[in-house]
Amino acid sequence: MMDKFKDKLLIYGATGYTGRLISQRAKDLQLDFAIAGRSSSDLESLASTLGVEFYTFSVDDSEAWKTALTDFSCLINAAGPFKGTAAHAMNACIDNKVHYLDISAELDSYQLAESLDSKAKEAGVMLISGAGMFVSYDALALHTAARVSSPKKLSVAFRHFGGFSRGSVKSSKNIMDLGMLFREASEIKPWNDPQPKLFDFGNGAEECLPTPLGGIILSYKSTGIPNIEEYFQLKLPAAGMPALDMDTLPDGPSEEERAEGRTKLSAEVTGADGSIARSIIDAPSGYTLTPLSVVAVAHRILNGDFKPGYQSPASAFGESIINDIPDTRIIDL
Ligand SMILES: NC(=O)c1ccc[n+]([C@@H]2O[C@H](COP(=O)([O-])OP(=O)(O)OC[C@H]3O[C@@H](n4cnc5c(N)ncnc54)[C@H](OP(=O)(O)O)[C@@H]3O)[C@@H](O)[C@H]2O)c1
């Protein structure tokens, strides 16, 4: 178990586009936190703006992690692509008995957290990879599943608003490289010949394209539903855009752009008797929602609310975590 009760949060990757928004949200909630990352000039000026301490070290420096994590109980890793950072940061958290959160959308990092379950339990710490947008997604899946008896199949569609940050475009390659996947009879499998499907986000049916998101891992953890399919209302940014020049992409959407639309998620769960329940999430646009979500989860942890081991957002907190995210609600259709 944890050696002593500490209630401080460290945010690694804090100078990235989303890391800065997460740090500002932590500041708004008056959490006791510090920031970290690999490049010191940006960190120093952000730390000075926020009035917090900062630590500069490479993600693979285990001694530096040990020093930096001494006073903290929870880490938010905002440094993506997570393929390059999640293993180092998760292992550092386990070694130093610190709870781990990230905002990854990469399935590999969820499976990594799953594989470290026993070590995390021994250390008495919780690992949640995917505590950004997936907090709402997972709460919606659990909520909708509870509306039928013996849920057998979950289909979820994501309607994104707000464009994509440069970091998300880079990371989406790691998602697309895995190919089409779904969960069938409790196993993750290649999804051969998937077809578009209509989903209602609250304003009538819209066509969505099969796309592996994270629910085939995270919402399997929270609901145990053996068959899970996922859809996206747009193509992921790396799909069909191999010539994107990263240097010319903006960091991410401006505050005004983020405020112009909403994130919508639509879930459909079929029960063993054939009955179907449909619910949706209405939430702020993506890059506003993610900081609100991951800091809500960190806030719970800092207050001593956690389950040791590998968890998804809803397996750790149930659907009630949605109540901690401002301007976000579940609606039953
Ligand atoms: N699912 C969600 O809810 C959600 C929402 C938003 C973002 N995301 C994900 O979050 C990640 C970050 O997005 P972003 O828009 O903030 O990207 P970004 O602006 O490019 O920022 C990435 C940050 O991570 C750091 N970083 C990257 N690789 C690193 C490494 N190997 N070692 C140390 N630091 C490293 C970068 O440091 P340098 O500046 O030194 O390069 C930078 O501070 C992406 O993977 C994105 O897909 C997920």
Side-chain angles (χ1 to χ4, degrees), residues 12 16-18 38-39 79-80 82 85 103 133 165 167-168 171 287 290:
Y12 188 83
Y17 170 76
T18 314
R38 64 179 171 186
S39 356
F82 293 91
T85 68
I103 54 165
M133 188 274 293
S165 71
S168 292
S171 301
Y287 294 97
T290 288

Side-chain angles (χ1 to χ4, degrees), residues 14-15 35-37 39-48 54-56:
T15 56
I35 60 173
S39 356
S40 70
S41 58
D42 289 353
L43 265 179
E44 190 168 359
S45 78
L46 180 62
S48 151
F54 70 97
Y55 300 82
T56 309

Side-chain angles (χ1 to χ4, degrees), residues 40 42 110 118 160 201 230 243 253 264 295 297 308 332:
S40 70
D42 289 353
Y110 307 161
S118 313
H160 177 66
F201 295 94
E230 300 176 285
K264 296 285 176 92
V295 176
V297 171
D332 293 334

Side-chain angles (χ1 to χ4, degrees), residues 162-181:
F164 294 97
S165 71
R166 192 185 313 127
S168 292
V169 175
K170 279 188 205 163
S171 301
S172 69
K173 184 175 180 322
N174 295 339
I175 305 168
M176 298 310 292
D177 282 351
L178 296 174
M180 283 293 170
L181 298 172

Side-chain angles (χ1 to χ4, degrees), residues 145-153 223-227 269-275:
R147 296 181 56 212
V148 303
S149 66
S150 303
K152 291 289 173 237
K153 183 175 178 187
T223 67
I225 297 178
N227 304 293
V269 177
T270 308
D273 61 0
S275 60

